[in-house]
Every structure is written in structure tokens, then in C-alpha cells.
Amino acid sequence: LSRVLRRRQKLPDVNTVDDAVRLLQNAKKIIVLSGAGISTSCGIPDFRSATGLYAQLQAEGKYELDDPQQMFDISYFREHPEVFYSFAKQIYPSNFVPSPCHRWIKLLEDRGVLLRNYTQNIDTLESLAGVNNVLQCHGSFKTASCLRCKTRHDGSKIEPYIMSQTIPYCETCREERNTEIAAIKAYRASLKGKGKGKASEWDDSDDDEEIDEWGRGEPGIIKPDITFFGQALDSEFDECLFKDREDVDLLVIMGTSLKVAPVSEVLSHIPHSVPQIFINLTPVTHVKPDVLLLGDADSIVTNLSDRLGWTIPPPPSVPHA
Ligand code: APR
């Protein structure tokens, strides 16, 4: 309560659009923390709303998940990669157009007052809107990595697998595996030639086919570089936050339930003296922003821009390829 009271002293009357306008007028280094709510108007469902992705997965029941979040859980993925790859095409960024919110973030950057956009979204619509200083806290489909050899591939490599709902295996692993198999076979042949006994642990099967089968079943699975539950965020998140917390003079939170750490903990890493504007369709009761603007985020940022005399740029001409 003391923290909230201390914060309240900065603004005589809180919770009004006028306060938000005044804060935006004076801010020079704004952090925008955004979530799925800024992409719903683009046709991309959020996660936890009644019509969100998790409700859809629960209702469909076709993936036999104990919990819809398992779709994005790394342990579950390792066990059942086929489930994610049968689903991924539904969330793969394609032909979406950035919302007024994405373009409002671009507007802040064009005005030279965006310190950074920390987005939890993986749709890369911020980049499509032209925002340069965006941190993809939960990654994106831009790249994909092998779970076994960690080789990082360009995201386009797995797009055909996502679209055909099949699992991409890592060729780098396969090549390494084939090299290992050739070496084992050469070693066995060399020992057989010398009439020696047990060649290796493979000696109990003289069937080279079995070794080939071993090689075929083994290569690493490639996973998009989106952060699953059970995976740590890229170190860039901590590095940026450590730096930005010293410079930020306004935090704008948009379209997020703030349910997933560590992004949800950004608010507690920002000095109490920095005012916070929260723009969301539904109240988020575990945080106490200085200004809470409830409603559709696109309409709110459009209204704020009108009051500020700012013009939100039009959508980019080409939708997401
Ligand atoms: N305008 C404003 N707010 C909206 C709108 C809208 N048009 N549409 C939805 N919202 C709000 C919802 O009311 C909800 O509070 O956006 C919030 C979205 O919350 P979530 O669905 O929980 O999405 P998000 O907060 O981004 O989830 C964080 O959870 O599953 C993980 O990795 C996933 O990045 C995701 C993370």
C-alpha cells in the first residue's frame, strides 16, 4: 500500500485518459511491454481469454493435452513433437497485417521516444510494422534450432514441415550420425578381416541394416526458437532490462494478462518513480498501475493519439509474406 501511495503522489488524479496524455506528452524514454491482446484485432487469438487459444485447445480436445499449456511445454514437446507440429500451422505468422497498436509503437519510435518494445508475441508484427527496437522476449519463428546438436537454422527451413504438419529432423545431426555409422562399419570390417572376436557393441548384430536403422531414428528434432514453458529466455532479455531500467521514464503495458514470468516481473524491476500506464480489455488485479485504461487497445491508442495530435501510420502495403 505504501508503494502504491508513494506512486500515487506523482499524479493528483489517476486513472484518466488526461493523465495518460500528460505522461505521453512529457516522456522521452518509453518502454512498451506488449502481449497477445495487441494482435487479436489482426485475427490472432490471445491465450487466456474466453475465446483464446487455450480455450480453443481445451474445447477441441483433439490433442489429448492434460493442460492446453502443454502445447508449449518443452518436456511435452520432447516426448510428443508430432502434437506441436500437427498444430503449429494454426499459429504460424502469415498474411497478418499489423494492428493500430503495432503501428502506434512504430509511431513512438518515429518520434524518438521509444526506449524499447518488450513483446511476448511471436507473430513478429511489430517488425512488420517497422519497429526496429523490439525485443522478442518469447522468441519467434524467425529461426529454429536442433534440440540435439543445437545447430540454428533459418526459420524458412521448417516452414514446409509446419505447413505439411510433419516433424523436421536436423540434417547436421544426420550427417554426423552417418559419419559415426560409417566409422563403426569400417571398424567392424577391419576387425572381421583380422578374424578377431567381438568388434564392438554392434557385434551382436551382424546386420548393417540395424545400424542404419539406428542412424535413421536418431537425428535431432528441429524446434522453432519460440520460448516454451520450461525453457529460459534468451540472455538478451536480462541484459536489456538491466540497462533500460536506468533510463526509462514511462512504462506502457498493453494487451497482456501479465501471467507469465519473467516478463510479468518487469514491472517490479522498474524504479517506483517511473509511472505506469496499463491498457487492457480486462482488469489485471495483481498490478496497480498509475493509469489504467480499460478497453480495446486499438481504440485507446487511437484516442490518445488524436488527443496528442499524433498520426498513427497506415498499415504496411504488403501483408506478412
Ligand atoms: N485490447 C486490449 N486488450 C486485449 C484485447 C484488445 N483488443 N484483446 C485481448 N486483450 C487482453 C485480454 O483481456 C488479456 O488480458 O490481452 C490479454 C492477453 O492475455 P494472454 O492471453 O494471457 O496473453 P499474454 O499476456 O500475451 O500471454 C503471455 O503466455 O502462453 C504464454 O508464451 C505465451 O507470450 C504468451 C504469454
Side-chain angles (χ1 to χ4, degrees):
L1 180 60
S2 63
R3 198 185 105 185
V4 170
L5 288 176
R6 204 168 46 249
R7 278 240 299 273
R8 287 269 180 270
Q9 283 147 19
K10 289 190 305 303
L11 293 169
D13 51 340
V14 291
N15 263 337
T16 70
V17 178
D18 293 344
D19 290 312
V21 168
R22 186 147 35 89
L23 289 168
L24 285 164
Q25 244 157 4
N26 300 318
K28 298 277 177 297
K29 294 187 182 294
I30 303 172
I31 284 181
V32 175
L33 195 165
S34 45
I38 72 165
S39 296
T40 49
S41 64
C42 310
I44 302 173
D46 65 12
F47 291 90
R48 294 174 181 80
S49 292
T51 54
L53 201 58
Y54 292 152
Q56 291 173 26
L57 284 170
Q58 196 90 41
E60 276 169 21
K62 84 180 187 190
Y63 298 105
E64 291 169 22
L65 301 169
D66 300 335
D67 173 324
Q69 290 195 159
Q70 270 184 325
M71 186 60 83
F72 301 100
D73 179 285
I74 189 62
S75 313
Y76 189 83
F77 179 85
R78 288 183 189 280
E79 289 293 308
H80 308 284
E82 74 285 355
V83 174
F84 175 77
Y85 275 108
S86 64
F87 160 80
K89 73 186 291 189
Q90 289 185 43
I91 58 166
Y92 192 73
S94 59
N95 296 329
F96 294 116
V97 176
S99 68
C101 281
H102 295 112
R103 296 165 6 225
W104 186 73
I105 298 168
K106 166 71 175 155
L107 167 65
L108 295 180
E109 186 165 74
D110 290 346
R111 295 182 61 85
V113 296
L114 178 72
L115 181 57
R116 199 182 314 273
N117 173 205
Y118 289 73
T119 183
Q120 300 171 88
N121 300 341
I122 58 174
D123 54 37
T124 65
L125 286 176
E126 301 85 0
S127 305
L128 194 77
V131 181
N132 297 303
N133 202 349
V134 51
L135 178 65
Q136 305 273 166
C137 303
H138 292 164
S140 75
F141 282 96
K142 265 186 202 144
T143 56
S145 301
C146 170
L147 291 184
R148 173 190 287 278
C149 69
K150 312 298 178 213
T151 301
R152 177 157 285 184
H153 302 271
D154 187 274
S156 57
K157 181 182 183 68
I158 65 168
E159 184 168 344
Y161 295 89
I162 288 175
M163 291 308 152
S164 60
Q165 299 174 289
T166 51
I167 300 172
Y169 288 101
C170 173
E171 287 310 318
T172 310
C173 271
R174 197 188 302 277
E175 282 145 25
E176 284 173 1
R177 182 69 52 184
N178 290 344
T179 308
E180 279 174 47
I181 291 166
I184 291 172
K185 285 183 178 175
Y187 178 59
R188 285 175 60 214
S190 70
L191 291 178
K192 268 187 189 153
K194 295 174 190 145
K196 291 261 177 71
K198 278 237 177 247
S200 75
E201 71 269 27
W202 292 103
D203 203 58
D204 52 3
S205 135
D206 280 343
D207 177 358
D208 281 358
E209 182 46 35
E210 184 170 328
I211 293 183
D212 289 338
E213 189 51 38
W214 168 65
R216 266 194 293 281
E218 282 296 302
I221 293 169
I222 305 178
K223 173 188 155 296
D225 287 338
I226 53 183
T227 309
F228 275 29
F229 291 108
Q231 283 190 302
L233 268 61
D234 192 293
S235 58
E236 193 186 5
F237 173 76
D238 286 332
E239 287 152 16
C240 288
L241 188 57
F242 190 73
K243 198 156 32 69
D244 293 349
R245 67 185 304 281
E246 300 306 325
D247 299 333
V248 59
D249 60 9
L250 176 61
L251 175 63
V252 178
I253 309 131
M254 306 166 73
T256 176
S257 63
L258 284 178
K259 287 253 174 73
V260 177
V263 174
S264 58
E265 293 159 356
V266 163
L267 284 73
S268 56
H269 289 287
I270 304 286
H272 299 147
S273 57
V274 175
Q276 300 175 358
I277 299 174
F278 201 134
I279 300 172
N280 209 56
L281 202 58
T282 51
V284 178
T285 51
H286 59 286
V287 290
K288 291 276 175 287
D290 295 277
V291 182
L292 175 63
L293 302 177
L294 286 180
D296 171 66
D298 288 339
S299 315
I300 290 172
V301 297
T302 303
N303 178 26
L304 289 172
S305 303
D306 292 347
R307 288 166 175 249
L308 286 156
W310 298 353
T311 307
I312 294 180
S317 47
V318 179
H320 215 300

mmCIF file of all heavy atoms in Angstrom, residues 34-38 40-41 46-49 54 69 120-121 138 227 229 255-260 279-282 284 295-298, ligand 1:
data_model
loop_
_atom_site.group_PDB
_atom_site.id
_atom_site.type_symbol
_atom_site.label_atom_id
_atom_site.label_comp_id
_atom_site.label_asym_id
_atom_site.label_seq_id
_atom_site.Cartn_x
_atom_site.Cartn_y
_atom_site.Cartn_z
ATOM 1 N N SER A 34 4.305 -5.468 -24.346
ATOM 2 C CA SER A 34 3.070 -5.857 -25.049
ATOM 3 C C SER A 34 2.846 -7.370 -25.030
ATOM 4 O O SER A 34 3.776 -8.155 -24.889
ATOM 5 C CB SER A 34 3.120 -5.360 -26.502
ATOM 6 O OG SER A 34 4.386 -5.643 -27.075
ATOM 7 N N GLY A 35 1.569 -7.716 -25.184
ATOM 8 C CA GLY A 35 1.176 -9.130 -25.196
ATOM 9 C C GLY A 35 0.162 -9.387 -26.291
ATOM 10 O O GLY A 35 -0.116 -8.529 -27.127
ATOM 11 N N ALA A 36 -0.410 -10.578 -26.239
ATOM 12 C CA ALA A 36 -1.262 -11.086 -27.329
ATOM 13 C C ALA A 36 -2.454 -10.184 -27.616
ATOM 14 O O ALA A 36 -3.014 -10.190 -28.710
ATOM 15 C CB ALA A 36 -1.727 -12.499 -26.984
ATOM 16 N N GLY A 37 -2.851 -9.359 -26.629
ATOM 17 C CA GLY A 37 -4.020 -8.504 -26.818
ATOM 18 C C GLY A 37 -3.852 -7.462 -27.902
ATOM 19 O O GLY A 37 -4.840 -6.932 -28.417
ATOM 20 N N ILE A 38 -2.599 -7.173 -28.321
ATOM 21 C CA ILE A 38 -2.434 -6.162 -29.386
ATOM 22 C C ILE A 38 -2.489 -6.811 -30.774
ATOM 23 O O ILE A 38 -2.436 -6.110 -31.775
ATOM 24 C CB ILE A 38 -1.144 -5.328 -29.213
ATOM 25 C CG1 ILE A 38 0.118 -6.138 -29.532
ATOM 26 C CG2 ILE A 38 -1.059 -4.699 -27.835
ATOM 27 C CD1 ILE A 38 1.356 -5.244 -29.720
ATOM 28 N N THR A 40 -4.996 -9.356 -31.369
ATOM 29 C CA THR A 40 -6.310 -10.012 -31.556
ATOM 30 C C THR A 40 -7.075 -9.360 -32.707
ATOM 31 O O THR A 40 -7.764 -10.050 -33.453
ATOM 32 C CB THR A 40 -7.153 -9.935 -30.264
ATOM 33 O OG1 THR A 40 -7.149 -8.589 -29.776
ATOM 34 C CG2 THR A 40 -6.610 -10.867 -29.188
ATOM 35 N N SER A 41 -6.914 -8.057 -32.874
ATOM 36 C CA SER A 41 -7.660 -7.407 -33.973
ATOM 37 C C SER A 41 -7.085 -7.785 -35.338
ATOM 38 O O SER A 41 -7.682 -7.499 -36.378
ATOM 39 C CB SER A 41 -7.632 -5.875 -33.814
ATOM 40 O OG SER A 41 -6.292 -5.412 -33.943
ATOM 41 N N ASP A 46 -5.725 -14.439 -28.581
ATOM 42 C CA ASP A 46 -4.768 -14.389 -27.458
ATOM 43 C C ASP A 46 -4.800 -15.769 -26.804
ATOM 44 O O ASP A 46 -5.278 -16.745 -27.411
ATOM 45 C CB ASP A 46 -5.136 -13.236 -26.514
ATOM 46 C CG ASP A 46 -6.478 -13.440 -25.825
ATOM 47 O OD1 ASP A 46 -7.027 -14.560 -25.895
ATOM 48 O OD2 ASP A 46 -6.988 -12.475 -25.228
ATOM 49 N N PHE A 47 -4.239 -15.866 -25.604
ATOM 50 C CA PHE A 47 -4.109 -17.202 -24.992
ATOM 51 C C PHE A 47 -5.206 -17.467 -23.968
ATOM 52 O O PHE A 47 -5.830 -18.541 -23.988
ATOM 53 C CB PHE A 47 -2.723 -17.324 -24.316
ATOM 54 C CG PHE A 47 -1.603 -17.368 -25.313
ATOM 55 C CD1 PHE A 47 -0.984 -16.196 -25.745
ATOM 56 C CD2 PHE A 47 -1.179 -18.577 -25.842
ATOM 57 C CE1 PHE A 47 0.035 -16.239 -26.692
ATOM 58 C CE2 PHE A 47 -0.161 -18.628 -26.788
ATOM 59 C CZ PHE A 47 0.450 -17.447 -27.215
ATOM 60 N N ARG A 48 -5.410 -16.480 -23.041
ATOM 61 C CA ARG A 48 -6.213 -16.821 -21.861
ATOM 62 C C ARG A 48 -7.623 -16.241 -21.858
ATOM 63 O O ARG A 48 -8.357 -16.412 -20.895
ATOM 64 C CB ARG A 48 -5.441 -16.373 -20.599
ATOM 65 C CG ARG A 48 -4.154 -17.181 -20.434
ATOM 66 C CD ARG A 48 -3.267 -16.698 -19.299
ATOM 67 N NE ARG A 48 -2.056 -17.521 -19.248
ATOM 68 C CZ ARG A 48 -1.002 -17.362 -20.044
ATOM 69 N NH1 ARG A 48 -1.011 -16.378 -20.956
ATOM 70 N NH2 ARG A 48 0.041 -18.158 -19.995
ATOM 71 N N SER A 49 -7.989 -15.501 -22.897
ATOM 72 C CA SER A 49 -9.378 -15.007 -22.928
ATOM 73 C C SER A 49 -10.335 -16.164 -23.163
ATOM 74 O O SER A 49 -9.913 -17.257 -23.574
ATOM 75 C CB SER A 49 -9.553 -13.985 -24.062
ATOM 76 O OG SER A 49 -8.840 -12.814 -23.775
ATOM 77 N N TYR A 54 -5.991 -21.177 -25.602
ATOM 78 C CA TYR A 54 -6.087 -22.267 -24.622
ATOM 79 C C TYR A 54 -7.523 -22.762 -24.503
ATOM 80 O O TYR A 54 -7.775 -23.973 -24.389
ATOM 81 C CB TYR A 54 -5.531 -21.813 -23.269
ATOM 82 C CG TYR A 54 -4.032 -21.576 -23.281
ATOM 83 C CD1 TYR A 54 -3.428 -20.661 -22.430
ATOM 84 C CD2 TYR A 54 -3.206 -22.265 -24.175
ATOM 85 C CE1 TYR A 54 -2.051 -20.438 -22.456
ATOM 86 C CE2 TYR A 54 -1.836 -22.050 -24.210
ATOM 87 C CZ TYR A 54 -1.264 -21.145 -23.351
ATOM 88 O OH TYR A 54 0.090 -20.931 -23.386
ATOM 89 N N GLN A 69 -1.568 -25.632 -21.959
ATOM 90 C CA GLN A 69 -0.221 -25.061 -21.992
ATOM 91 C C GLN A 69 0.838 -26.094 -22.359
ATOM 92 O O GLN A 69 1.954 -25.774 -22.718
ATOM 93 C CB GLN A 69 0.102 -24.365 -20.656
ATOM 94 C CG GLN A 69 -0.695 -23.092 -20.431
ATOM 95 C CD GLN A 69 -0.125 -22.221 -19.324
ATOM 96 O OE1 GLN A 69 -0.379 -21.014 -19.258
ATOM 97 N NE2 GLN A 69 0.650 -22.789 -18.426
ATOM 98 N N GLN A 120 5.852 -10.067 -25.913
ATOM 99 C CA GLN A 120 5.760 -11.510 -25.591
ATOM 100 C C GLN A 120 5.260 -12.282 -26.811
ATOM 101 O O GLN A 120 5.206 -13.496 -26.806
ATOM 102 C CB GLN A 120 4.782 -11.728 -24.430
ATOM 103 C CG GLN A 120 5.174 -11.017 -23.164
ATOM 104 C CD GLN A 120 4.083 -11.080 -22.114
ATOM 105 O OE1 GLN A 120 4.016 -12.031 -21.309
ATOM 106 N NE2 GLN A 120 3.210 -10.093 -22.107
ATOM 107 N N ASN A 121 4.885 -11.532 -27.856
ATOM 108 C CA ASN A 121 4.248 -12.167 -29.010
ATOM 109 C C ASN A 121 5.294 -12.761 -29.952
ATOM 110 O O ASN A 121 6.420 -12.281 -30.015
ATOM 111 C CB ASN A 121 3.382 -11.143 -29.762
ATOM 112 C CG ASN A 121 2.286 -10.576 -28.868
ATOM 113 O OD1 ASN A 121 1.954 -11.178 -27.835
ATOM 114 N ND2 ASN A 121 1.760 -9.424 -29.223
ATOM 115 N N HIS A 138 9.799 -13.839 -26.052
ATOM 116 C CA HIS A 138 9.486 -15.271 -26.163
ATOM 117 C C HIS A 138 9.874 -15.817 -27.523
ATOM 118 O O HIS A 138 9.348 -16.846 -27.957
ATOM 119 C CB HIS A 138 7.987 -15.493 -25.900
ATOM 120 C CG HIS A 138 7.613 -15.206 -24.475
ATOM 121 N ND1 HIS A 138 6.320 -15.024 -24.053
ATOM 122 C CD2 HIS A 138 8.372 -15.021 -23.372
ATOM 123 C CE1 HIS A 138 6.294 -14.768 -22.757
ATOM 124 N NE2 HIS A 138 7.529 -14.743 -22.324
ATOM 125 N N THR A 227 10.047 -19.501 -27.107
ATOM 126 C CA THR A 227 10.332 -19.959 -25.748
ATOM 127 C C THR A 227 9.181 -20.803 -25.227
ATOM 128 O O THR A 227 8.061 -20.295 -25.098
ATOM 129 C CB THR A 227 10.550 -18.747 -24.830
ATOM 130 O OG1 THR A 227 11.499 -17.876 -25.437
ATOM 131 C CG2 THR A 227 11.061 -19.195 -23.462
ATOM 132 N N PHE A 229 7.406 -23.232 -22.206
ATOM 133 C CA PHE A 229 7.431 -23.365 -20.744
ATOM 134 C C PHE A 229 8.509 -24.385 -20.392
ATOM 135 O O PHE A 229 8.604 -25.435 -21.020
ATOM 136 C CB PHE A 229 6.063 -23.821 -20.227
ATOM 137 C CG PHE A 229 4.983 -22.782 -20.378
ATOM 138 C CD1 PHE A 229 3.983 -22.935 -21.323
ATOM 139 C CD2 PHE A 229 4.990 -21.627 -19.602
ATOM 140 C CE1 PHE A 229 2.990 -21.968 -21.485
ATOM 141 C CE2 PHE A 229 4.005 -20.653 -19.745
ATOM 142 C CZ PHE A 229 3.018 -20.825 -20.693
ATOM 143 N N GLY A 255 -2.221 -5.042 -23.598
ATOM 144 C CA GLY A 255 -2.724 -6.319 -24.113
ATOM 145 C C GLY A 255 -2.064 -7.556 -23.550
ATOM 146 O O GLY A 255 -1.698 -8.479 -24.271
ATOM 147 N N THR A 256 -1.896 -7.561 -22.219
ATOM 148 C CA THR A 256 -1.307 -8.748 -21.604
ATOM 149 C C THR A 256 -1.932 -9.014 -20.242
ATOM 150 O O THR A 256 -2.281 -8.098 -19.517
ATOM 151 C CB THR A 256 0.221 -8.612 -21.434
ATOM 152 O OG1 THR A 256 0.732 -9.763 -20.754
ATOM 153 C CG2 THR A 256 0.605 -7.358 -20.679
ATOM 154 N N SER A 257 -2.043 -10.295 -19.902
ATOM 155 C CA SER A 257 -2.597 -10.650 -18.582
ATOM 156 C C SER A 257 -1.498 -10.653 -17.528
ATOM 157 O O SER A 257 -1.732 -10.868 -16.348
ATOM 158 C CB SER A 257 -3.236 -12.044 -18.659
ATOM 159 O OG SER A 257 -2.215 -13.006 -18.980
ATOM 160 N N LEU A 258 -0.255 -10.449 -17.969
ATOM 161 C CA LEU A 258 0.897 -10.433 -17.041
ATOM 162 C C LEU A 258 0.897 -11.690 -16.156
ATOM 163 O O LEU A 258 1.080 -11.611 -14.933
ATOM 164 C CB LEU A 258 0.876 -9.168 -16.177
ATOM 165 C CG LEU A 258 1.324 -7.885 -16.885
ATOM 166 C CD1 LEU A 258 1.209 -6.703 -15.931
ATOM 167 C CD2 LEU A 258 2.751 -7.985 -17.414
ATOM 168 N N LYS A 259 0.693 -12.838 -16.797
ATOM 169 C CA LYS A 259 0.619 -14.087 -16.033
ATOM 170 C C LYS A 259 1.898 -14.913 -16.114
ATOM 171 O O LYS A 259 2.040 -15.920 -15.446
ATOM 172 C CB LYS A 259 -0.537 -14.960 -16.568
ATOM 173 C CG LYS A 259 -1.932 -14.469 -16.205
ATOM 174 C CD LYS A 259 -2.594 -15.343 -15.152
ATOM 175 C CE LYS A 259 -3.919 -14.789 -14.686
ATOM 176 N NZ LYS A 259 -4.988 -14.947 -15.719
ATOM 177 N N VAL A 260 2.819 -14.517 -17.044
ATOM 178 C CA VAL A 260 3.969 -15.392 -17.304
ATOM 179 C C VAL A 260 5.274 -14.675 -16.984
ATOM 180 O O VAL A 260 5.597 -13.642 -17.576
ATOM 181 C CB VAL A 260 3.952 -15.863 -18.766
ATOM 182 C CG1 VAL A 260 5.173 -16.715 -19.098
ATOM 183 C CG2 VAL A 260 2.675 -16.645 -19.039
ATOM 184 N N ILE A 279 -2.911 -0.567 -20.488
ATOM 185 C CA ILE A 279 -4.014 -0.553 -21.464
ATOM 186 C C ILE A 279 -4.431 -1.994 -21.703
ATOM 187 O O ILE A 279 -3.629 -2.805 -22.194
ATOM 188 C CB ILE A 279 -3.554 0.085 -22.794
ATOM 189 C CG1 ILE A 279 -3.086 1.535 -22.566
ATOM 190 C CG2 ILE A 279 -4.665 0.010 -23.837
ATOM 191 C CD1 ILE A 279 -2.437 2.180 -23.801
ATOM 192 N N ASN A 280 -5.657 -2.349 -21.301
ATOM 193 C CA ASN A 280 -6.076 -3.751 -21.420
ATOM 194 C C ASN A 280 -7.593 -3.868 -21.483
ATOM 195 O O ASN A 280 -8.303 -3.022 -20.939
ATOM 196 C CB ASN A 280 -5.532 -4.564 -20.235
ATOM 197 C CG ASN A 280 -5.294 -6.023 -20.615
ATOM 198 O OD1 ASN A 280 -4.569 -6.307 -21.559
ATOM 199 N ND2 ASN A 280 -5.937 -6.926 -19.879
ATOM 200 N N LEU A 281 -8.052 -4.972 -22.127
ATOM 201 C CA LEU A 281 -9.514 -5.153 -22.239
ATOM 202 C C LEU A 281 -10.120 -5.488 -20.881
ATOM 203 O O LEU A 281 -11.216 -5.053 -20.551
ATOM 204 C CB LEU A 281 -9.781 -6.308 -23.238
ATOM 205 C CG LEU A 281 -11.132 -6.385 -23.915
ATOM 206 C CD1 LEU A 281 -11.414 -5.103 -24.688
ATOM 207 C CD2 LEU A 281 -11.169 -7.581 -24.883
ATOM 208 N N THR A 282 -9.345 -6.257 -20.105
ATOM 209 C CA THR A 282 -9.880 -6.706 -18.806
ATOM 210 C C THR A 282 -8.935 -6.291 -17.684
ATOM 211 O O THR A 282 -7.729 -6.155 -17.915
ATOM 212 C CB THR A 282 -9.978 -8.254 -18.808
ATOM 213 O OG1 THR A 282 -8.708 -8.786 -19.215
ATOM 214 C CG2 THR A 282 -11.059 -8.747 -19.767
ATOM 215 N N VAL A 284 -6.398 -6.343 -14.606
ATOM 216 C CA VAL A 284 -5.364 -7.300 -14.158
ATOM 217 C C VAL A 284 -5.107 -6.937 -12.694
ATOM 218 O O VAL A 284 -4.471 -5.931 -12.396
ATOM 219 C CB VAL A 284 -4.089 -7.175 -15.024
ATOM 220 C CG1 VAL A 284 -3.003 -8.128 -14.516
ATOM 221 C CG2 VAL A 284 -4.410 -7.476 -16.483
ATOM 222 N N GLY A 295 -10.255 -1.277 -21.998
ATOM 223 C CA GLY A 295 -10.987 -1.239 -23.272
ATOM 224 C C GLY A 295 -10.142 -1.829 -24.389
ATOM 225 O O GLY A 295 -9.056 -2.389 -24.136
ATOM 226 N N ASP A 296 -10.641 -1.658 -25.607
ATOM 227 C CA ASP A 296 -9.909 -2.176 -26.775
ATOM 228 C C ASP A 296 -8.654 -1.332 -27.002
ATOM 229 O O ASP A 296 -8.748 -0.102 -27.144
ATOM 230 C CB ASP A 296 -10.838 -2.111 -28.001
ATOM 231 C CG ASP A 296 -10.074 -2.416 -29.286
ATOM 232 O OD1 ASP A 296 -9.609 -3.562 -29.430
ATOM 233 O OD2 ASP A 296 -9.874 -1.477 -30.077
ATOM 234 N N ALA A 297 -7.531 -1.979 -27.029
ATOM 235 C CA ALA A 297 -6.252 -1.250 -27.096
ATOM 236 C C ALA A 297 -6.136 -0.414 -28.370
ATOM 237 O O ALA A 297 -5.645 0.729 -28.323
ATOM 238 C CB ALA A 297 -5.093 -2.239 -27.019
ATOM 239 N N ASP A 298 -6.611 -0.939 -29.493
ATOM 240 C CA ASP A 298 -6.525 -0.163 -30.740
ATOM 241 C C ASP A 298 -7.283 1.159 -30.602
ATOM 242 O O ASP A 298 -6.782 2.233 -30.966
ATOM 243 C CB ASP A 298 -7.132 -0.970 -31.915
ATOM 244 C CG ASP A 298 -6.245 -2.143 -32.341
ATOM 245 O OD1 ASP A 298 -5.034 -2.109 -32.046
ATOM 246 O OD2 ASP A 298 -6.781 -3.089 -32.946
HETATM 247 N N1 APR B 1 -7.449 -4.793 -26.447
HETATM 248 C C1 APR B 1 -6.883 -4.784 -25.217
HETATM 249 N N2 APR B 1 -6.622 -5.917 -24.521
HETATM 250 C C2 APR B 1 -6.963 -7.087 -25.101
HETATM 251 C C3 APR B 1 -7.549 -7.173 -26.380
HETATM 252 C C4 APR B 1 -7.791 -5.951 -27.057
HETATM 253 N N3 APR B 1 -8.352 -5.926 -28.278
HETATM 254 N N4 APR B 1 -7.770 -8.492 -26.664
HETATM 255 C C5 APR B 1 -7.341 -9.191 -25.594
HETATM 256 N N5 APR B 1 -6.864 -8.355 -24.663
HETATM 257 C C6 APR B 1 -6.299 -8.676 -23.360
HETATM 258 C C7 APR B 1 -7.005 -9.813 -22.638
HETATM 259 O O1 APR B 1 -8.057 -9.295 -21.857
HETATM 260 C C8 APR B 1 -5.882 -10.394 -21.783
HETATM 261 O O2 APR B 1 -5.846 -9.769 -20.520
HETATM 262 O O3 APR B 1 -4.983 -9.130 -23.576
HETATM 263 C C9 APR B 1 -4.611 -10.035 -22.546
HETATM 264 C C10 APR B 1 -3.962 -11.249 -23.197
HETATM 265 O O4 APR B 1 -3.522 -12.084 -22.164
HETATM 266 P P1 APR B 1 -3.000 -13.550 -22.531
HETATM 267 O O5 APR B 1 -3.985 -14.196 -23.406
HETATM 268 O O6 APR B 1 -2.620 -14.205 -21.241
HETATM 269 O O7 APR B 1 -1.712 -13.286 -23.421
HETATM 270 P P2 APR B 1 -0.291 -12.809 -22.916
HETATM 271 O O8 APR B 1 -0.396 -11.989 -21.674
HETATM 272 O O9 APR B 1 0.383 -12.191 -24.063
HETATM 273 O O10 APR B 1 0.401 -14.226 -22.566
HETATM 274 C C11 APR B 1 1.761 -14.210 -22.176
HETATM 275 O O11 APR B 1 1.714 -16.630 -22.123
HETATM 276 O O12 APR B 1 1.200 -18.674 -23.054
HETATM 277 C C12 APR B 1 2.177 -17.742 -22.882
HETATM 278 O O13 APR B 1 4.008 -17.501 -24.314
HETATM 279 C C13 APR B 1 2.650 -17.210 -24.207
HETATM 280 O O14 APR B 1 3.505 -15.000 -24.689
HETATM 281 C C14 APR B 1 2.436 -15.710 -24.096
HETATM 282 C C15 APR B 1 2.402 -15.493 -22.599
#
